[in-house]
Amino acid sequence: MAEEILEPDLPIVDPHHHLWDRRNYAPPAASGAPAGPEHPFVTAIAEARRYLLDELIADTQSGHNVRATVFVECGAMYKADGPAELRGIGETEFVNGVAAMSASGTYGDFRACAGIVSKADLLLGDAVAPVLEAHVRAGGDRFRGIRNSASFDADKAVLGPLNRVEAGLYLSDQFRAGFKRLAPMGLSFDAWLLEPQLPDVIDLARAFPDTTIVLDHVGTPLGRGAYEGRLPERFGIWRDNIRELAKSPKVVVKLGGLAMAFCNFPSFLAEPRAPSAQLAAEWAPYVETCIEAFGADRCMFESNFPVDMGACDYPTLWNAFKRIAKGASAEEKAALFSGTATKVYRLEI
C-alpha cells in the first residue's frame, strides 16, 4: 500500500537523476567479475529500460512538491559517429531538448533538467577545452558541469558491470590537466567514487580549492563483495574522511545513492518493499554525519533515480529523507531539499 506523503508542500529540487532508453542494452561482464546481467545492480534497474520525460514526470508528480531537477550523465544518447571525444555531446543535446519540452509549460510548472551535468574525458588534459566548449553550446544556459566517475575497487565483484576505470583517476596528472579547465569556465565537478577512495577526492579538493566539487552519494559506502557485512566496521573510516573532506569549503555533498546495490543495505531488493521508516533508519547515520560535517547549506538530498529504485519507489524515498530531516529547522530543510541544489547548480527557477 502506498505511503501517505509527508510534508507534501515542502519544495524540492531533485539534483541528481538520469534519463535513458536502454531497450538494446546488454551490460558487459567485467574481467574477473560476475556476468553483467547477473550483478545485483543490473537486477535493480531491470524494469527501467526506459526512463524518459514521461517516467520522470510520473515520479516527480507522485505526491511530493518537486519543482525542478538536475540531470546527471549516464551515457545516454551519445552520437553514433564523429570524433570519440565529442560523441558525449549528444547526451547534452538530448537532455537540453527534454528540458525545453518541460520549459514549454505543457507539463505544468515543473522544470525538468533545469541544470545539466554531462561527461567530458578530463584525461584529454588541455585538449578537453573544445569538448567543454561544445557542451556549453549544446546545453545553452542549462549546462552546469561535468562528471567523471573514478569508482574502482580491486574486487571486481563490487562494481560488476560498472568496472570502467583504473585506480587513482583523480590523482593523475593528466586528469588534473583537464580538471584545471573547469573553474575558469564556471563549471562544477560531480565526483563519484567509492568509500575507500575518499582520500583521492580529498587530495583533489585541496589541489583545486577554487573548483566546486559535488560528492555524489555520500561517498558510496560499500557492503558488497569483499565488503559484505562490513558497513559497521568501516563507518568510522568513512566518517573521518567525510569530516576531512568538509574542511575544503568548495565541496558539497549529495545525500542519497544509499539504495544502490553497492551499499547493500537490508532494504535493497527486499520483498516486500521496505517502508520509509526502515530506509530512514538505515541511511540516517550517513546522512546525519554529512549534515553535521558540511552544514545544511552544503548538503542536498538527491533521488538518484531510476538507479535507486532497487530499494524503493520515488515517493517512499523522499518520505525517508523527510523522516531523517524531521528535527531540522525550516531554514535547514529549505537548504537540504532545494536551496543548496539551486545555489550550487545556479538554477533559474
Side-chain angles (χ1 to χ4, degrees):
M1 186 173 67
E3 294 187 359
E4 178 183 356
I5 301 297
L6 303 178
E7 299 183 74
D9 296 328
L10 180 64
I12 293 172
V13 172
D14 182 351
H16 195 112
H17 71 85
H18 309 295
L19 297 171
W20 60 51
D21 187 339
R22 295 183 171 180
R23 64 188 69 192
N24 299 318
Y25 178 66
S31 175
E38 297 175 358
H39 193 275
F41 174 83
V42 179
T43 303
I45 61 172
E47 297 179 7
R49 293 272 174 169
R50 171 193 165 102
Y51 198 80
L52 298 173
L53 181 58
D54 288 345
E55 290 76 18
L56 178 65
I57 289 174
D59 277 340
T60 54
Q61 306 305 303
S62 57
H64 294 282
N65 185 22
V66 182
R67 311 304 304 150
T69 72
V70 175
F71 168 87
V72 176
E73 65 87 23
C74 56
M77 304 299 177
Y78 276 31
K79 295 177 183 292
D81 49 29
E85 68 273 14
L86 292 174
R87 292 182 185 179
I89 307 303
E91 183 169 54
T92 300
E93 293 174 339
F94 152 61
V95 176
N96 198 36
V98 171
M101 292 171 65
S102 177
S104 73
T106 301
Y107 310 92
D109 60 0
F110 162 70
R111 295 294 178 259
C113 310
I116 299 172
V117 176
S118 298
K119 181 177 179 179
D121 185 4
L122 295 183
L123 284 173
L124 291 168
D126 289 336
V128 80
V131 180
L132 297 174
E133 292 164 358
H135 275 299
V136 171
R137 290 193 299 271
D141 60 359
R142 299 184 179 97
F143 188 73
R144 293 294 178 263
I146 68 161
R147 178 169 80 157
N148 274 189
S149 167
S151 296
F152 169 88
D153 195 83
D155 180 359
K156 301 302 182 183
V158 173
L159 286 168
L162 296 188
N163 284 284
R164 296 169 177 168
V165 300
E166 296 301 318
L169 177 66
Y170 293 169
L171 303 177
S172 160
D173 289 342
Q174 188 70 7
F175 173 88
R176 293 185 175 197
F179 189 92
K180 72 180 181 183
R181 293 282 184 168
L182 299 180
M185 295 182 66
L187 300 176
S188 61
F189 180 75
D190 266 63
W192 182 42
L193 74 176
L194 309 179
E195 173 264 305
Q197 299 176 282
L198 281 171
D200 291 8
V201 76
I202 291 169
D203 190 86
L204 183 68
R206 289 172 176 165
F208 295 90
D210 296 326
T211 304
T212 297
I213 296 177
V214 184
L215 177 67
D216 291 348
H217 316 326
V218 303
T220 314
L222 295 181
R224 184 165 300 285
Y227 304 90
E228 183 86 28
R230 297 177 63 193
L231 280 170
E233 169 194 336
R234 294 195 62 87
F235 181 83
I237 301 171
W238 169 86
R239 179 196 60 218
D240 291 347
N241 280 320
I242 286 293
R243 290 173 175 172
E244 194 63 32
L245 182 60
K247 294 177 182 178
S248 294
K250 294 281 281 188
V251 178
V252 297
V253 60
K254 286 179 178 174
L255 309 175
L258 292 165
M260 292 193 293
F262 319 116
C263 307
N264 201 23
F265 283 102
S267 55
F268 180 70
L269 295 181
E271 290 294 343
R273 303 280 267 179
S276 62
Q278 178 183 339
L279 298 174
E282 290 176 359
W283 302 345
Y286 294 92
V287 171
E288 291 171 350
T289 297
C290 286
I291 296 172
E292 178 185 356
F294 284 86
D297 62 344
R298 292 168 60 199
C299 292
M300 55 183 118
F301 285 116
E302 56 159 333
S303 77
N304 193 35
F305 255 61
V307 178
D308 276 25
M309 68 187 300
C312 58
D313 60 21
Y314 198 88
T316 304
L317 177 138
W318 287 102
N319 268 359
F321 290 154
K322 288 176 179 179
R323 288 183 185 278
I324 295 171
K326 183 178 180 180
S329 68
E331 292 77 12
E332 289 169 333
K333 287 183 181 180
L336 293 166
F337 286 94
S338 62
T340 301
T342 301
K343 175 184 65 177
V344 169
Y345 290 116
R346 310 184 310 282
L347 304 182
E348 299 177 3
I349 53 175

